[in-house]
Amino acid sequence: MTHKPKLKLATTSLAGCFGCHMSFLDMDERIVELLEHIEFDRSPFTDIKQLGHCDIGLIEGGVCNAENVHVLRTYRASCRILVAVGACAINGGVPAMRNHFSLQECLEEVYLKSPDMINPHIPNDPELPLLLDKVYPVHEVVKVDYFLPGCPPSADTFYRFLSELIEGKEPQIGKVELRYD
Amino acid sequence: MMTAPEPNLIRIDDREIPFVHGETIMDAALAADVYIPHLCHFPGITPQGNCKLCTVEVDGKPLTACTSPAAAGQQIRNNIPELNEARKVLTQMLFIEGNHICPSCEKTGNCALQAMAYHLGMLHQHFPQQFPEREVDASHPTIMLDRIRCILCSLCVRASQEVDGKNVFAIAGRGIHASLIVNTASGKLVDSDLEPSDLAARICPVGAILIKEHGYDAPIGKRIFDQHKISEIGLEKIYIAGAKSDDS
Ligand code: SF4
Ligand code: SF4
Ligand code: FES
């Protein structure tokens, strides 16, 4: 029997809530079966910090700060197939609701005007990534190969999508079920 | 010698469909259980041809089915990949022109725009997101108007005039500057005679006009398009009932 090399899978969460990652784990024991064919690279599921060359990159969340842009570009450069996963990656989602307001208004509302603030000030530690003017969908920053809608996409959606890629088939997203909520 | 009168039939894809003189292609299709995608058509209300989702090819020419009269012998193409692809692009444009954050919208699961996008297999919005700013009108005690999700279908305008006998709404401006306005001196809903039982308050296909305090009467998972596909004919009754408030 010939052994196909395992597909390398990296995942990350940008301006997301980790709900997509949680939903991925909802595939329960099927993940064991999946691990026969895929191997995790950098991901919140592993402790790998350095992104290697990967076959598949799953991106959760939209792009809200300079670090998100950097991480996203790194994933694009290292992953053969890049996938925007979930509502926030696809159209900005709930974090993009801040796009109605200027960045200044958002910061003042949160850090100066919130009730019961002790020593209110807008954080300015140089370590903090700078916020972008708006929250952007992933495909407005890099080229995206596939989109998995849903808030979050169901475990079945993840499982079906990855199984199809493992089998070398064109994924049939949306032919079975489609949900944006 | 008399020639036999032409039978009143049109052909939509592979089906021959009868029609009555004066009917539109949409009327005839709906009566025959043939689905032509539509967002701004509602049975009994004068069609206006706003959304263009119902575009079909009539003898090779693109026409909106909701406004085009049926005529004997028309050869109509409807459910074909080219048209469905064009409909998907129109739907994507409707999404990016507003703020459609479905997970945070009361209308999710009951929304015709969302159901249309499912029907057409829309996986993403393709075009750059506009993130427009539009005024919210929460002035009315029982009805909410959030223009950020309005697709300018004008169903509320027409329902108010034709069915409710009022004149609550209008579309002002043109093109990208078009917006839904309220016909009162203040421009606010509270000063209008709109009531939750009016068709205009219940007809909105998206989450732009909402009856307050009833958004979550039906839990997510038990909503109209959790149980039906938008391509089923005659959903309007459930649609109106689903959006109806208790006190109407
Ligand atoms: S109006 Fe419809 S498409 Fe828009 S956010 Fe609400 S559910 Fe989604
Ligand atoms: S408020 Fe609703 S019914 Fe009225 S024009 Fe906008 S989308 Fe159509
Ligand atoms: S339904 Fe015909 S144009 Fe909208």
Side-chain angles (χ1 to χ4, degrees):
Chain A
M1 202 177 110
T2 54
H3 246 15
K4 273 208 285 185
K6 288 188 179 183
L7 293 177
K8 282 214 168 186
L9 173 68
T11 77
T12 191
S13 178
L14 308 176
C17 70
F18 277 91
C20 295
H21 277 81
M22 297 306 289
S23 181
F24 184 106
L25 292 179
D26 271 344
M27 70 174 76
D28 299 328
E29 72 275 8
R30 283 178 293 176
I31 204 163
V32 178
E33 180 196 316
L34 216 51
L35 286 173
E36 307 262 314
H37 308 282
I38 62 168
E39 183 184 343
F40 279 103
D41 194 85
R42 178 174 158 184
S43 161
F45 299 144
T46 65
D47 212 12
I48 302 172
K49 304 278 190 278
Q50 215 53 39
L51 182 63
H53 281 294
C54 287
D55 296 288
I56 309 162
L58 304 183
I59 310 290
E60 167 192 316
V63 186
C64 82
N65 64 30
E67 192 211 10
N68 290 163
V69 176
H70 175 74
V71 171
L72 179 58
R73 287 190 176 146
T74 314
Y75 271 69
R76 176 67 279 181
S78 307
C79 301
R80 203 157 52 81
I81 298 168
L82 197 73
V83 191
V85 169
C88 303
I90 291 174
N91 74 358
V94 171
M97 291 171 85
R98 84 148 149 98
N99 293 357
H100 289 298
F101 307 96
S102 74
L103 196 51
Q104 192 63 26
E105 283 173 306
C106 292
L107 290 169
E108 284 175 9
E109 187 64 33
V110 174
Y111 293 106
L112 303 182
K113 295 187 192 154
S114 294
D116 303 327
M117 294 282 291
I118 302 163
N119 179 23
H121 75 286
I122 294 174
N124 58 358
D125 190 308
E127 287 275 307
L128 290 172
L130 287 176
L131 293 172
L132 304 182
D133 62 333
K134 285 186 189 320
V135 179
Y136 293 88
V138 163
H139 74 94
E140 289 188 29
V141 181
V142 296
K143 179 183 180 293
V144 168
D145 301 300
Y146 292 104
F147 297 84
L148 286 189
C151 185
S154 66
D156 285 346
T157 303
F158 280 110
Y159 180 75
R160 209 177 302 119
F161 176 74
L162 291 172
S163 303
E164 284 166 334
L165 283 185
I166 289 166
E167 289 167 36
K169 289 192 205 149
E170 181 68 23
Q172 301 290 304
I173 315 154
K175 298 278 155 62
V176 188
E177 61 152 4
L178 204 47
R179 285 203 74 121
Y180 304 149
D181 58 7
Chain B
M1 212 176 83
M2 293 251 303
T3 47
E6 275 214 48
N8 279 345
L9 289 174
I10 55 176
R11 174 180 286 274
I12 302 185
D13 296 330
D14 53 3
R15 277 192 57 191
E16 294 261 287
I17 287 167
F19 70 93
V20 184
H21 182 74
E23 274 187 336
T24 61
I25 295 171
M26 180 67 81
D27 295 332
L30 289 177
D33 252 354
V34 170
Y35 179 65
I36 300 176
H38 56 275
L39 283 175
C40 75
H41 176 76
F42 198 90
I45 292 185
T46 311
Q48 220 169 46
N50 295 323
C51 73
K52 307 296 177 214
L53 263 283
C54 70
T55 301
V56 289
E57 240 180 67
V58 184
D59 300 323
K61 269 203 318 226
L63 291 176
T64 44
C66 69
T67 54
S68 304
Q74 282 169 333
Q75 302 290 317
I76 299 165
R77 304 214 297 163
N78 167 41
N79 189 16
I80 56 170
E82 300 91 303
L83 285 174
N84 285 330
E85 198 50 42
R87 290 169 179 147
K88 183 162 89 184
V89 172
L90 289 173
T91 306
Q92 286 172 321
M93 293 199 273
L94 290 174
F95 267 81
I96 60 107
E97 279 176 11
N99 276 7
H100 295 279
I101 313 285
C102 297
S104 72
C105 177
E106 278 186 26
K107 192 78 173 189
T108 189
N110 286 330
C111 171
L113 176 65
Q114 185 188 61
M116 180 64 70
Y118 293 164
H119 175 74
L120 298 168
M122 185 185 91
L123 299 178
H124 60 96
Q125 285 94 51
H126 179 79
F127 301 102
Q129 204 71 44
Q130 309 266 301
F131 295 121
E133 283 177 38
R134 293 189 209 137
E135 199 195 335
V136 174
D137 183 346
S139 62
H140 195 284
T142 49
I143 304 160
M144 170 90 186
L145 171 60
D146 191 346
R147 293 179 173 87
I148 211 70
R149 297 189 281 255
C150 171
I151 57 169
L152 298 169
C153 70
S154 90
L155 277 173
C156 58
V157 179
R158 288 175 278 156
S160 184
Q161 292 169 350
E162 296 178 17
V163 179
D164 304 333
K166 302 180 183 179
N167 188 17
V168 174
F169 297 105
I171 310 272
R174 298 184 69 84
I176 197 73
H177 303 295
S179 68
L180 183 73
I181 57 164
V182 178
N183 280 327
T184 55
S186 63
K188 295 285 183 205
L189 220 42
V190 67
D191 298 320
S192 76
D193 48 359
L194 185 67
E195 291 166 76
S197 56
D198 291 349
L199 187 58
R202 294 181 271 131
I203 201 169
C204 184
V206 294
I209 301 176
L210 297 163
I211 309 292
K212 286 184 181 175
E213 292 175 29
H214 291 276
Y216 291 92
D217 283 358
I220 290 171
K222 291 220 161 42
R223 297 183 169 198
I224 299 165
F225 297 111
D226 293 323
Q227 281 145 79
H228 299 275
K229 292 204 177 329
I230 197 168
S231 54
E232 291 170 34
I233 309 286
L235 287 179
E236 286 83 8
K237 284 196 185 70
I238 317 178
Y239 204 81
I240 292 306
K244 200 168 177 170
S245 81
D246 284 344
D247 40 39
S248 59

